[in-house]
Coordinates of all heavy atoms in Angstrom, one line a residue:
G1 N -18.8 -9.1 -17.1 CA -17.4 -9.6 -17.0 C -17.2 -10.1 -15.6 O -17.8 -9.9 -14.6
S2 N -16.0 -11.0 -15.6 CA -15.6 -11.5 -14.3 C -14.1 -11.5 -14.3 O -13.4 -11.4 -15.3 CB -16.2 -12.9 -14.0 OG -15.7 -13.7 -15.0
G3 N -13.5 -11.5 -13.1 CA -12.1 -11.6 -13.0 C -11.7 -12.6 -11.8 O -12.4 -12.6 -10.9
T4 N -10.6 -13.2 -12.1 CA -10.0 -14.1 -11.0 C -8.6 -14.0 -10.9 O -7.9 -13.9 -12.0 CB -10.4 -15.6 -11.4 OG1 -11.9 -15.7 -11.5 CG2 -10.0 -16.5 -10.4
S5 N -8.0 -14.1 -9.8 CA -6.6 -14.1 -9.5 C -6.4 -15.3 -8.5 O -7.0 -15.4 -7.4 CB -6.1 -12.9 -8.8 OG -4.8 -13.0 -8.4
I6 N -5.7 -16.3 -8.8 CA -5.4 -17.4 -8.1 C -4.1 -17.3 -7.3 O -3.1 -16.9 -7.9 CB -5.3 -18.8 -8.9 CG1 -6.6 -18.9 -9.7 CG2 -5.0 -20.0 -8.1 CD1 -6.7 -20.0 -10.7
R7 N -4.1 -17.7 -6.0 CA -2.9 -17.5 -5.1 C -2.7 -18.8 -4.4 O -3.6 -19.5 -4.1 CB -3.1 -16.3 -4.2 CG -3.2 -15.1 -4.9 CD -3.3 -13.9 -3.9 NE -3.3 -12.7 -4.7 CZ -3.3 -11.4 -4.1 NH1 -3.2 -11.4 -2.8 NH2 -3.4 -10.3 -4.8
L8 N -1.4 -19.1 -4.1 CA -1.0 -20.2 -3.4 C -0.1 -19.8 -2.2 O 0.8 -19.1 -2.5 CB -0.3 -21.2 -4.2 CG 0.2 -22.4 -3.6 CD1 -0.9 -23.4 -3.2 CD2 1.1 -23.2 -4.6
L9 N -0.4 -20.2 -1.0 CA 0.5 -20.0 0.1 C 1.0 -21.4 0.5 O 0.2 -22.4 0.6 CB -0.2 -19.3 1.3 CG -0.7 -18.0 1.1 CD1 -1.5 -17.5 2.4 CD2 0.5 -17.0 0.9
K10 N 2.3 -21.5 0.8 CA 2.9 -22.8 1.3 C 3.3 -22.5 2.8 O 3.8 -21.6 3.1 CB 4.0 -23.2 0.4 CG 3.6 -23.6 -0.9 CD 4.7 -24.1 -1.8 CE 5.6 -23.1 -2.2 NZ 6.7 -23.4 -3.0
C11 N 3.2 -23.7 3.6 CA 3.8 -23.7 4.9 C 4.9 -24.7 4.9 O 4.7 -25.9 4.5 CB 2.7 -24.2 5.9 SG 3.2 -24.2 7.6
S12 N 6.1 -24.2 5.2 CA 7.4 -25.1 5.3 C 7.7 -25.4 6.6 O 7.5 -24.7 7.5 CB 8.5 -24.4 4.5 OG 8.1 -24.1 3.2
K13 N 8.3 -26.6 6.8 CA 8.9 -27.0 8.1 C 10.1 -26.2 8.5 O 10.9 -25.9 7.6 CB 9.2 -28.4 7.9 CG 9.5 -29.2 9.2 CD 9.8 -30.6 9.0 CE 10.2 -31.2 10.4 NZ 10.4 -32.7 10.2
L14 N 10.1 -25.9 9.7 CA 11.4 -25.3 10.2 C 12.3 -26.2 10.8 O 12.0 -27.2 11.5 CB 11.1 -24.3 11.3 CG 10.2 -23.0 10.9 CD1 10.0 -22.0 12.0 CD2 11.0 -22.2 9.8
G15 N 13.6 -25.9 10.6 CA 14.7 -26.8 11.2 C 14.9 -26.4 12.6 O 14.3 -25.4 13.2
K16 N 15.7 -27.1 13.3 CA 16.1 -26.8 14.7 C 16.7 -25.4 14.8 O 16.5 -24.9 15.9 CB 17.0 -27.9 15.2 CG 16.3 -29.2 15.4 CD 17.3 -30.3 15.9 CE 16.6 -31.6 15.9 NZ 17.4 -32.7 16.5
D17 N 17.3 -24.9 13.8 CA 18.0 -23.6 13.9 C 16.9 -22.5 13.6 O 17.3 -21.3 13.6 CB 19.1 -23.5 13.0 CG 18.8 -23.8 11.5 OD1 17.6 -24.1 11.2 OD2 19.8 -23.8 10.8
G18 N 15.7 -22.9 13.3 CA 14.6 -21.9 13.0 C 14.6 -21.4 11.5 O 13.8 -20.6 11.1
V19 N 15.5 -22.1 10.7 CA 15.5 -21.7 9.3 C 14.7 -22.8 8.6 O 14.7 -24.0 9.0 CB 17.0 -21.8 8.8 CG1 17.0 -21.5 7.2 CG2 17.7 -20.7 9.5
G20 N 14.0 -22.4 7.5 CA 13.1 -23.3 6.7 C 13.9 -24.4 6.1 O 14.9 -24.2 5.7
T21 N 13.4 -25.6 6.2 CA 14.0 -26.8 5.6 C 13.6 -26.9 4.1 O 14.2 -27.7 3.4 CB 13.7 -28.1 6.3 OG1 12.2 -28.3 6.1 CG2 14.0 -28.0 7.8
G22 N 12.5 -26.2 3.7 CA 12.0 -26.4 2.4 C 11.0 -27.4 2.2 O 10.3 -27.6 1.2
A23 N 10.8 -28.3 3.2 CA 9.8 -29.4 3.1 C 8.4 -28.7 3.4 O 8.2 -28.1 4.4 CB 10.1 -30.4 4.3
V24 N 7.6 -28.8 2.4 CA 6.2 -28.3 2.5 C 5.3 -29.2 3.4 O 5.2 -30.4 3.1 CB 5.6 -28.0 1.0 CG1 4.2 -27.6 1.2 CG2 6.5 -27.0 0.3
V25 N 4.7 -28.7 4.4 CA 3.9 -29.4 5.2 C 2.3 -29.1 5.0 O 1.4 -29.8 5.5 CB 4.1 -29.2 6.7 CG1 5.6 -29.7 7.0 CG2 4.0 -27.8 7.1
G26 N 2.1 -28.0 4.2 CA 0.7 -27.7 4.0 C 0.7 -26.5 2.9 O 1.7 -25.9 2.6
Y27 N -0.6 -26.2 2.4 CA -0.8 -25.2 1.5 C -2.2 -24.7 1.6 O -3.1 -25.3 2.1 CB -0.4 -25.5 0.1 CG -1.3 -26.5 -0.6 CD1 -2.5 -26.1 -1.3 CD2 -1.1 -27.9 -0.5 CE1 -3.3 -26.9 -1.9 CE2 -2.0 -28.7 -1.1 CZ -3.1 -28.3 -1.7 OH -4.0 -29.1 -2.4
A28 N -2.4 -23.4 1.2 CA -3.8 -22.9 1.0 C -3.9 -22.3 -0.4 O -2.9 -21.5 -0.9 CB -4.0 -21.7 2.0
L29 N -4.9 -22.7 -1.1 CA -5.1 -22.2 -2.5 C -6.4 -21.5 -2.4 O -7.5 -21.9 -1.9 CB -5.3 -23.4 -3.5 CG -5.6 -23.1 -4.9 CD1 -4.4 -22.4 -5.5 CD2 -6.0 -24.4 -5.6
Y30 N -6.3 -20.2 -2.9 CA -7.5 -19.3 -2.8 C -7.6 -18.4 -4.0 O -6.5 -18.2 -4.8 CB -7.6 -18.5 -1.6 CG -6.4 -17.6 -1.3 CD1 -6.4 -16.3 -1.5 CD2 -5.2 -18.2 -0.7 CE1 -5.4 -15.5 -1.2 CE2 -4.2 -17.3 -0.5 CZ -4.1 -16.0 -0.7 OH -3.1 -15.2 -0.5
E31 N -8.8 -18.0 -4.4 CA -9.0 -17.1 -5.6 C -9.6 -15.8 -5.1 O -10.5 -15.8 -4.3 CB -10.0 -17.8 -6.6 CG -9.5 -19.1 -7.1 CD -10.5 -19.6 -8.2 OE1 -11.2 -18.9 -8.8 OE2 -10.6 -20.9 -8.2
L32 N -9.1 -14.7 -5.7 CA -9.7 -13.4 -5.6 C -10.6 -13.3 -6.8 O -10.2 -13.4 -7.9 CB -8.5 -12.3 -5.7 CG -7.5 -12.5 -4.6 CD1 -6.4 -11.3 -4.7 CD2 -8.1 -12.4 -3.2
R33 N -11.9 -13.1 -6.4 CA -12.9 -13.1 -7.5 C -13.7 -11.9 -7.6 O -13.9 -11.2 -6.6 CB -13.9 -14.3 -7.2 CG -13.1 -15.6 -7.0 CD -13.8 -16.8 -7.2 NE -14.2 -16.9 -8.6 CZ -15.0 -17.9 -9.1 NH1 -15.4 -18.8 -8.3 NH2 -15.4 -17.8 -10.3
T34 N -14.1 -11.5 -8.8 CA -14.9 -10.4 -9.1 C -16.0 -10.9 -10.0 O -15.7 -11.5 -11.1 CB -14.2 -9.2 -9.7 OG1 -13.1 -8.9 -9.0 CG2 -15.1 -8.0 -10.0
K35 N -17.3 -10.7 -9.6 CA -18.4 -11.2 -10.4 C -19.5 -10.1 -10.5 O -19.6 -9.3 -9.6 CB -19.0 -12.4 -9.8 CG -18.2 -13.7 -10.0 CD -18.9 -14.9 -9.4 CE -18.5 -16.1 -10.0 NZ -19.3 -17.2 -9.5
G36 N -20.3 -10.2 -11.6 CA -21.4 -9.2 -11.6 C -21.3 -8.1 -12.5 O -20.2 -7.9 -13.0
P37 N -22.4 -7.4 -12.8 CA -22.4 -6.4 -13.8 C -21.8 -5.2 -13.1 O -21.8 -5.0 -11.9 CB -23.9 -6.2 -14.0 CG -24.6 -6.7 -12.8 CD -23.7 -7.8 -12.3
P38 N -21.3 -4.2 -13.9 CA -20.8 -2.9 -13.4 C -21.8 -2.3 -12.4 O -23.1 -2.3 -12.7 CB -20.6 -2.1 -14.6 CG -20.4 -3.1 -15.7 CD -21.3 -4.2 -15.4
G39 N -21.3 -1.7 -11.3 CA -22.2 -1.1 -10.4 C -22.7 -2.0 -9.3 O -23.2 -1.6 -8.3
R40 N -22.7 -3.3 -9.6 CA -23.1 -4.3 -8.6 C -22.2 -5.5 -8.5 O -22.5 -6.6 -8.3 CB -24.5 -4.9 -9.1 CG -25.6 -3.9 -8.9 CD -27.0 -4.3 -9.2 NE -27.2 -5.7 -9.0 CZ -28.0 -6.6 -9.6 NH1 -28.6 -6.1 -10.7 NH2 -28.2 -7.9 -9.3
R41 N -20.9 -5.2 -8.6 CA -19.8 -6.2 -8.6 C -19.8 -6.8 -7.2 O -19.8 -6.0 -6.3 CB -18.5 -5.6 -9.1 CG -18.5 -5.1 -10.4 CD -17.2 -5.7 -11.2 NE -17.1 -5.1 -12.5 CZ -17.4 -5.7 -13.6 NH1 -18.0 -6.9 -13.6 NH2 -17.2 -5.2 -14.7
Q42 N -19.5 -8.0 -7.2 CA -19.1 -8.7 -5.9 C -17.7 -9.0 -6.0 O -17.2 -9.7 -6.9 CB -19.9 -10.1 -5.8 CG -21.3 -10.0 -5.8 CD -22.0 -11.4 -5.7 OE1 -21.3 -12.3 -5.0 NE2 -23.1 -11.6 -6.3
R43 N -16.9 -8.6 -4.9 CA -15.5 -8.9 -4.9 C -15.3 -9.7 -3.5 O -15.7 -9.2 -2.5 CB -14.7 -7.6 -4.8 CG -14.8 -6.9 -6.1 CD -14.0 -5.5 -6.1 NE -13.9 -4.9 -7.3 CZ -14.8 -4.1 -7.9 NH1 -15.9 -3.8 -7.2 NH2 -14.6 -3.5 -9.1
Y44 N -14.7 -10.9 -3.8 CA -14.6 -11.8 -2.6 C -13.4 -12.7 -2.8 O -12.9 -12.8 -3.9 CB -15.9 -12.6 -2.4 CG -16.3 -13.4 -3.4 CD1 -15.9 -14.7 -3.5 CD2 -17.1 -12.9 -4.5 CE1 -16.3 -15.6 -4.4 CE2 -17.5 -13.8 -5.6 CZ -17.2 -15.1 -5.5 OH -17.6 -16.0 -6.5
C45 N -13.0 -13.3 -1.7 CA -12.0 -14.3 -1.8 C -12.7 -15.7 -1.5 O -13.4 -15.8 -0.5 CB -11.0 -14.1 -0.7 SG -9.7 -15.4 -0.6
E46 N -12.4 -16.7 -2.4 CA -12.9 -18.0 -2.2 C -11.8 -18.9 -1.8 O -10.8 -19.0 -2.6 CB -13.6 -18.5 -3.5 CG -14.2 -19.9 -3.3 CD -14.9 -20.4 -4.6 OE1 -15.4 -19.5 -5.4 OE2 -14.9 -21.6 -4.8
L47 N -11.8 -19.5 -0.6 CA -10.8 -20.4 -0.3 C -11.2 -21.8 -1.0 O -12.2 -22.3 -0.8 CB -10.9 -20.7 1.3 CG -9.9 -21.8 1.8 CD1 -8.4 -21.5 1.5 CD2 -10.1 -21.8 3.3
V48 N -10.3 -22.2 -1.9 CA -10.5 -23.4 -2.7 C -10.1 -24.7 -1.9 O -10.8 -25.7 -1.9 CB -9.8 -23.2 -4.1 CG1 -9.9 -24.5 -4.8 CG2 -10.2 -22.0 -4.8
N49 N -8.9 -24.6 -1.3 CA -8.3 -25.8 -0.7 C -7.4 -25.4 0.4 O -6.6 -24.4 0.2 CB -7.7 -26.7 -1.7 CG -7.8 -28.0 -1.4 OD1 -8.1 -28.5 -0.3 ND2 -7.4 -28.8 -2.3
I50 N -7.4 -26.0 1.6 CA -6.4 -25.9 2.6 C -6.1 -27.2 3.0 O -6.9 -28.1 3.3 CB -6.8 -25.0 3.7 CG1 -5.6 -24.7 4.7 CG2 -8.0 -25.4 4.4 CD1 -5.8 -23.6 5.6
V51 N -4.7 -27.6 2.9 CA -4.2 -28.9 3.1 C -3.1 -28.9 4.0 O -2.1 -28.1 3.8 CB -4.0 -29.7 1.8 CG1 -3.4 -31.1 2.1 CG2 -5.1 -29.8 0.9
V52 N -3.1 -29.8 5.0 CA -1.8 -30.0 5.9 C -1.5 -31.5 6.0 O -2.4 -32.3 6.2 CB -2.1 -29.5 7.4 CG1 -0.9 -29.8 8.3 CG2 -2.4 -28.0 7.3
R53 N -0.3 -31.9 5.7 CA 0.2 -33.2 5.8 C -0.4 -33.8 7.1 O -0.2 -33.2 8.2 CB 1.7 -33.4 5.8 CG 2.2 -33.3 4.3 CD 3.7 -33.5 4.3 NE 4.3 -34.1 5.4 CZ 5.7 -34.1 5.6 NH1 6.5 -33.6 4.6 NH2 6.3 -34.7 6.7
R54 N -0.8 -35.0 7.1 CA -1.3 -35.8 8.2 C -0.4 -35.8 9.4 O -0.8 -35.5 10.5 CB -1.8 -37.2 7.8 CG -2.5 -37.9 9.0 CD -3.2 -39.2 8.5 NE -3.9 -39.1 7.4 CZ -5.3 -38.8 7.2 NH1 -5.8 -38.3 8.4 NH2 -5.9 -38.8 6.2
D55 N 0.9 -35.9 9.1 CA 1.9 -36.0 10.3 C 2.2 -34.6 10.8 O 2.9 -34.5 11.8 CB 3.2 -36.7 9.8 CG 3.9 -36.0 8.7 OD1 3.2 -35.3 7.9 OD2 5.1 -36.1 8.6
H56 N 1.6 -33.6 10.3 CA 1.7 -32.2 10.9 C 0.4 -31.6 11.3 O 0.3 -30.4 11.7 CB 2.3 -31.3 9.8 CG 3.8 -31.5 9.8 ND1 4.4 -32.6 9.1 CD2 4.9 -30.9 10.3 CE1 5.8 -32.6 9.2 NE2 6.1 -31.6 10.0
Q57 N -0.7 -32.3 11.2 CA -2.0 -31.9 11.6 C -2.0 -31.8 13.1 O -1.4 -32.6 13.9 CB -3.0 -32.8 11.2 CG -3.3 -32.7 9.7 CD -4.3 -33.6 9.1 OE1 -5.0 -34.4 9.8 NE2 -4.5 -33.6 7.8
G58 N -2.6 -30.7 13.7 CA -2.7 -30.5 15.1 C -1.5 -29.8 15.7 O -1.5 -29.6 16.9
C59 N -0.6 -29.3 14.8 CA 0.6 -28.6 15.3 C 0.4 -27.1 15.0 O 1.4 -26.3 15.3 CB 1.8 -29.1 14.6 SG 2.1 -30.8 15.0
G60 N -0.7 -26.6 14.4 CA -0.8 -25.2 14.2 C -0.6 -24.7 12.7 O -0.6 -23.6 12.5
A61 N -0.2 -25.7 11.9 CA 0.2 -25.3 10.5 C -1.0 -24.8 9.7 O -0.9 -23.8 9.0 CB 0.8 -26.5 9.8
G62 N -2.2 -25.4 9.9 CA -3.4 -25.0 9.4 C -3.8 -23.5 9.7 O -4.2 -22.7 8.9
R63 N -3.8 -23.4 11.1 CA -4.1 -22.0 11.6 C -3.2 -21.0 11.1 O -3.6 -19.9 10.8 CB -4.0 -22.1 13.2 CG -4.4 -20.7 13.8 CD -4.6 -20.8 15.3 NE -5.5 -21.8 15.7 CZ -6.9 -21.5 15.8 NH1 -7.3 -20.3 15.4 NH2 -7.7 -22.4 16.2
R64 N -1.9 -21.4 11.0 CA -0.8 -20.4 10.5 C -1.2 -20.1 9.0 O -1.0 -18.9 8.6 CB 0.5 -20.9 10.6 CG 1.6 -20.0 10.1 CD 1.6 -18.6 10.8 NE 2.4 -17.6 10.2 CZ 2.0 -16.5 9.7 NH1 0.6 -16.1 10.0 NH2 2.6 -15.7 9.1
L65 N -1.6 -21.0 8.2 CA -1.9 -20.8 6.8 C -3.2 -19.9 6.7 O -3.1 -18.9 5.9 CB -2.2 -22.1 6.0 CG -1.1 -22.8 5.7 CD1 -1.5 -24.3 5.4 CD2 -0.4 -22.3 4.5
M66 N -4.1 -20.1 7.6 CA -5.3 -19.2 7.6 C -4.9 -17.7 8.0 O -5.4 -16.7 7.4 CB -6.4 -19.6 8.5 CG -7.1 -20.8 8.0 SD -8.0 -20.6 6.4 CE -9.4 -19.5 7.1
E67 N -4.0 -17.7 9.0 CA -3.5 -16.3 9.3 C -2.8 -15.6 8.2 O -2.9 -14.4 8.0 CB -2.6 -16.4 10.5 CG -3.3 -16.8 11.9 CD -2.3 -17.2 13.0 OE1 -1.1 -17.3 12.7 OE2 -2.8 -17.4 14.1
A68 N -1.9 -16.4 7.5 CA -1.2 -15.9 6.4 C -2.1 -15.4 5.4 O -1.9 -14.4 4.6 CB -0.2 -16.9 5.9
L69 N -3.2 -16.2 5.0 CA -4.2 -15.8 4.0 C -4.8 -14.5 4.4 O -4.8 -13.6 3.6 CB -5.2 -16.8 3.9 CG -6.3 -16.7 2.9 CD1 -6.8 -18.1 2.4 CD2 -7.4 -15.8 3.4
H70 N -5.2 -14.3 5.7 CA -5.8 -13.1 6.2 C -4.7 -11.9 6.0 O -5.1 -10.8 5.6 CB -6.3 -13.1 7.5 CG -7.6 -14.0 7.6 ND1 -8.8 -13.5 7.2 CD2 -7.9 -15.2 8.1 CE1 -9.8 -14.3 7.3 NE2 -9.2 -15.4 7.9
E71 N -3.5 -12.1 6.3 CA -2.6 -11.0 6.2 C -2.3 -10.7 4.8 O -2.2 -9.4 4.5 CB -1.2 -11.5 6.8 CG -1.2 -11.8 8.4 CD 0.0 -12.6 8.9 OE1 0.9 -12.8 8.2 OE2 -0.1 -12.8 10.1
D72 N -2.3 -11.6 3.9 CA -2.1 -11.4 2.5 C -3.3 -10.5 2.0 O -3.1 -9.6 1.3 CB -2.0 -12.6 1.6 CG -1.7 -12.4 0.2 OD1 -0.8 -11.6 -0.2 OD2 -2.5 -12.9 -0.7
L73 N -4.5 -10.9 2.3 CA -5.7 -10.2 1.9 C -5.7 -8.8 2.4 O -6.0 -7.8 1.7 CB -6.9 -10.9 2.3 CG -7.2 -12.3 1.5 CD1 -8.6 -12.8 2.2 CD2 -7.4 -12.1 0.1
A74 N -5.3 -8.6 3.7 CA -5.3 -7.3 4.3 C -4.4 -6.3 3.6 O -4.6 -5.1 3.6 CB -5.1 -7.3 5.8
T75 N -3.2 -6.7 3.1 CA -2.2 -6.0 2.5 C -2.2 -5.9 1.0 O -1.8 -4.9 0.5 CB -0.8 -6.5 2.9 OG1 -0.6 -7.8 2.6 CG2 -0.5 -6.4 4.4
T76 N -2.8 -6.9 0.3 CA -2.8 -6.9 -1.1 C -4.2 -6.8 -1.8 O -4.3 -6.6 -3.0 CB -2.0 -8.1 -1.7 OG1 -2.8 -9.2 -1.4 CG2 -0.6 -8.0 -1.1
A77 N -5.3 -7.2 -1.0 CA -6.6 -7.3 -1.7 C -7.7 -6.8 -0.7 O -8.5 -7.7 -0.3 CB -6.8 -8.7 -2.1
R78 N -7.7 -5.7 -0.3 CA -8.5 -5.2 0.8 C -9.9 -5.3 0.5 O -10.8 -5.5 1.3 CB -8.2 -3.8 1.1 CG -6.8 -3.6 1.9 CD -6.6 -2.2 2.3 NE -5.3 -2.2 2.8 CZ -4.8 -1.3 3.5 NH1 -5.6 -0.2 3.8 NH2 -3.6 -1.3 4.0
R79 N -10.3 -5.2 -0.9 CA -11.7 -5.3 -1.3 C -12.3 -6.7 -1.0 O -13.5 -6.9 -0.7 CB -11.9 -4.9 -2.7 CG -11.8 -3.5 -3.0 CD -12.1 -3.2 -4.5 NE -12.2 -1.8 -4.7 CZ -12.4 -1.3 -5.9 NH1 -12.6 -2.1 -6.9 NH2 -12.5 0.0 -6.1
Q80 N -11.4 -7.7 -1.1 CA -11.9 -9.1 -0.9 C -11.7 -9.5 0.5 O -12.2 -10.5 0.9 CB -11.1 -10.0 -1.9 CG -11.5 -9.9 -3.3 CD -10.7 -9.0 -4.1 OE1 -10.0 -8.1 -3.6 NE2 -10.8 -9.1 -5.4
A81 N -10.9 -8.8 1.3 CA -10.5 -9.3 2.6 C -11.8 -9.5 3.5 O -11.8 -10.2 4.4 CB -9.5 -8.3 3.2
D82 N -12.8 -8.6 3.4 CA -13.9 -8.7 4.3 C -15.0 -9.8 3.8 O -16.0 -9.9 4.4 CB -14.6 -7.3 4.3 CG -13.7 -6.3 5.0 OD1 -13.0 -6.7 5.9 OD2 -13.8 -5.1 4.7
D83 N -14.8 -10.4 2.7 CA -15.7 -11.4 2.2 C -15.0 -12.6 1.8 O -14.6 -12.8 0.6 CB -16.5 -10.8 1.0 CG -17.6 -11.7 0.7 OD1 -17.8 -12.7 1.2 OD2 -18.4 -11.2 -0.2
L84 N -14.7 -13.5 2.8 CA -14.0 -14.9 2.5 C -15.1 -15.9 2.5 O -15.9 -16.1 3.4 CB -13.0 -15.1 3.6 CG -12.2 -16.4 3.6 CD1 -11.4 -16.6 2.3 CD2 -11.4 -16.6 4.8
R85 N -15.0 -16.7 1.4 CA -16.1 -17.7 1.3 C -15.4 -19.1 1.0 O -14.4 -19.1 0.5 CB -16.9 -17.4 0.0 CG -17.7 -16.1 0.0 CD -18.4 -15.8 -1.3 NE -18.9 -14.5 -1.2 CZ -19.6 -13.9 -2.1 NH1 -20.0 -14.7 -3.2 NH2 -20.1 -12.7 -2.1
L86 N -16.0 -20.1 1.5 CA -15.6 -21.4 1.3 C -16.7 -22.4 1.3 O -17.8 -22.0 1.8 CB -14.6 -21.9 2.4 CG -15.0 -21.9 3.8 CD1 -15.3 -23.3 4.4 CD2 -14.0 -21.2 4.8
Y87 N -16.6 -23.4 0.6 CA -17.6 -24.4 0.5 C -17.2 -25.7 1.0 O -16.2 -26.3 0.5 CB -18.1 -24.4 -1.0 CG -18.5 -23.1 -1.5 CD1 -17.6 -22.3 -2.1 CD2 -19.8 -22.6 -1.2 CE1 -17.9 -21.0 -2.6 CE2 -20.2 -21.4 -1.8 CZ -19.2 -20.5 -2.4 OH -19.6 -19.4 -2.8
V88 N -17.9 -26.3 2.0 CA -17.6 -27.6 2.5 C -18.8 -28.5 2.5 O -20.0 -28.0 2.9 CB -17.1 -27.4 3.9 CG1 -16.7 -28.8 4.5 CG2 -15.9 -26.5 4.1
A89 N -18.7 -29.7 2.0 CA -19.9 -30.6 2.0 C -20.3 -30.9 3.5 O -19.5 -31.0 4.4 CB -19.4 -31.9 1.4
E90 N -21.6 -30.9 3.7 CA -22.1 -31.1 5.0 C -21.7 -32.4 5.7 O -21.4 -32.4 6.9 CB -23.7 -31.2 5.0 CG -24.3 -29.8 4.8 CD -25.8 -29.8 4.7 OE1 -26.4 -30.6 5.5 OE2 -26.4 -29.2 3.8
K91 N -21.4 -33.4 4.9 CA -21.0 -34.6 5.5 C -19.4 -34.7 5.7 O -18.9 -35.7 6.4 CB -21.3 -35.8 4.6 CG -22.8 -36.0 4.4 CD -23.1 -37.1 3.4 CE -24.6 -37.4 3.4 NZ -24.9 -38.5 2.5
N92 N -18.7 -33.7 5.4 CA -17.3 -33.5 5.7 C -17.0 -33.0 7.0 O -16.6 -31.9 7.3 CB -16.7 -32.7 4.6 CG -15.2 -33.0 4.4 OD1 -14.7 -33.8 5.1 ND2 -14.6 -32.4 3.3
A93 N -17.3 -33.8 8.1 CA -17.4 -33.3 9.5 C -16.0 -32.8 10.0 O -16.1 -31.8 10.8 CB -17.9 -34.5 10.4
G94 N -14.9 -33.4 9.7 CA -13.7 -33.0 10.2 C -13.3 -31.5 9.7 O -13.1 -30.7 10.7
P95 N -13.3 -31.3 8.6 CA -13.0 -29.9 8.2 C -14.0 -28.9 8.6 O -13.7 -27.8 9.1 CB -13.1 -30.0 6.6 CG -12.6 -31.4 6.2 CD -13.2 -32.2 7.4
L96 N -15.3 -29.3 8.6 CA -16.3 -28.4 9.2 C -16.1 -28.0 10.6 O -16.2 -26.8 11.0 CB -17.8 -29.0 9.1 CG -18.4 -28.9 7.7 CD1 -19.8 -29.7 7.8 CD2 -18.7 -27.5 7.5
A97 N -15.7 -29.0 11.4 CA -15.4 -28.7 12.9 C -14.2 -27.9 13.0 O -14.1 -26.9 13.8 CB -15.1 -30.1 13.6
W98 N -13.2 -28.1 12.1 CA -11.9 -27.2 12.1 C -12.2 -25.8 11.8 O -11.9 -24.8 12.5 CB -10.9 -27.8 11.2 CG -9.6 -27.0 11.3 CD1 -8.6 -27.2 12.2 CD2 -9.1 -26.1 10.4 NE1 -7.6 -26.4 12.0 CE2 -7.8 -25.7 10.9 CE3 -9.6 -25.6 9.2 CZ2 -7.0 -24.8 10.1 CZ3 -8.8 -24.7 8.5 CH2 -7.5 -24.2 9.0
Y99 N -13.0 -25.5 10.8 CA -13.4 -24.2 10.3 C -14.2 -23.5 11.5 O -13.9 -22.3 11.7 CB -14.1 -24.2 9.0 CG -13.3 -24.5 7.8 CD1 -13.7 -25.5 7.0 CD2 -12.3 -23.8 7.5 CE1 -13.0 -25.9 5.8 CE2 -11.5 -24.1 6.4 CZ -11.9 -25.2 5.6 OH -11.1 -25.5 4.4
R100 N -15.0 -24.1 12.1 CA -15.8 -23.6 13.2 C -14.9 -23.2 14.4 O -15.3 -22.2 15.0 CB -17.0 -24.5 13.6 CG -18.1 -24.6 12.5 CD -19.2 -25.6 13.0 NE -20.2 -25.5 12.0 CZ -20.7 -26.6 11.5 NH1 -20.3 -27.8 11.9 NH2 -21.7 -26.5 10.5
R101 N -13.9 -23.9 14.6 CA -13.0 -23.6 15.7 C -12.2 -22.4 15.4 O -11.7 -21.7 16.4 CB -12.0 -24.8 16.0 CG -12.7 -25.9 16.8 CD -11.6 -26.9 17.3 NE -10.6 -27.4 16.3 CZ -10.7 -28.4 15.6 NH1 -11.8 -29.3 15.7 NH2 -9.7 -28.8 14.8
L102 N -12.0 -22.1 14.2 CA -11.2 -20.9 13.9 C -12.0 -19.7 14.3 O -11.5 -18.6 14.5 CB -10.9 -20.8 12.4 CG -9.9 -21.9 11.8 CD1 -9.8 -21.8 10.3 CD2 -8.6 -21.7 12.5

């Protein structure tokens, strides 16, 4: 058997007063996964997608999304928190460099 739980985190723009404007500037989509036979189950989190609007890249929104993902895992999915997986094509240099900087 296997199990999956899909989660979405959104990053919204803050107004000058520090209150959210509701404008989404990025999101992280990830799955809590359980695979394998009983007694040898793998429990992990797979980062499916992380996206930040081009006009907000370089402002910390992506880093904040990754921090929020880790916070969510630590409080709600401890079994998967220690095993975060993502798959990036070798030729996708921009995202690869960003993940390495984290």
Side-chain angles (χ1 to χ4, degrees):
S2 65
T4 300
S5 173
I6 298 172
R7 296 183 179 189
L8 176 70
L9 294 174
K10 295 185 285 183
C11 184
S12 299
K13 185 176 181 179
L14 291 179
K16 292 180 182 179
D17 57 2
V19 177
T21 65
V24 175
V25 299
Y27 70 88
L29 178 68
Y30 56 104
E31 295 182 37
L32 303 178
R33 307 201 64 186
T34 303
K35 286 183 161 182
R40 292 185 29 214
R41 295 228 189 263
Q42 296 179 34
R43 290 179 174 84
Y44 61 94
C45 175
E46 181 178 332
L47 178 58
V48 176
N49 210 346
I50 186 164
V51 176
V52 175
R53 277 183 18 192
R54 189 169 307 280
D55 61 333
H56 284 79
Q57 291 176 0
C59 297
R63 182 173 298 276
R64 182 61 195 121
L65 282 164
M66 287 296 288
E67 290 169 354
L69 183 152
H70 285 287
E71 291 168 8
D72 182 55
L73 292 175
T75 57
T76 65
R78 291 184 186 196
R79 286 185 172 180
Q80 287 92 344
D82 292 332
D83 191 355
L84 177 60
R85 302 177 188 186
L86 59 107
Y87 303 94
V88 182
E90 288 182 36
K91 294 181 180 182
N92 204 353
L96 276 174
W98 184 77
Y99 289 123
R100 288 182 178 130
R101 285 194 309 268
L102 291 176

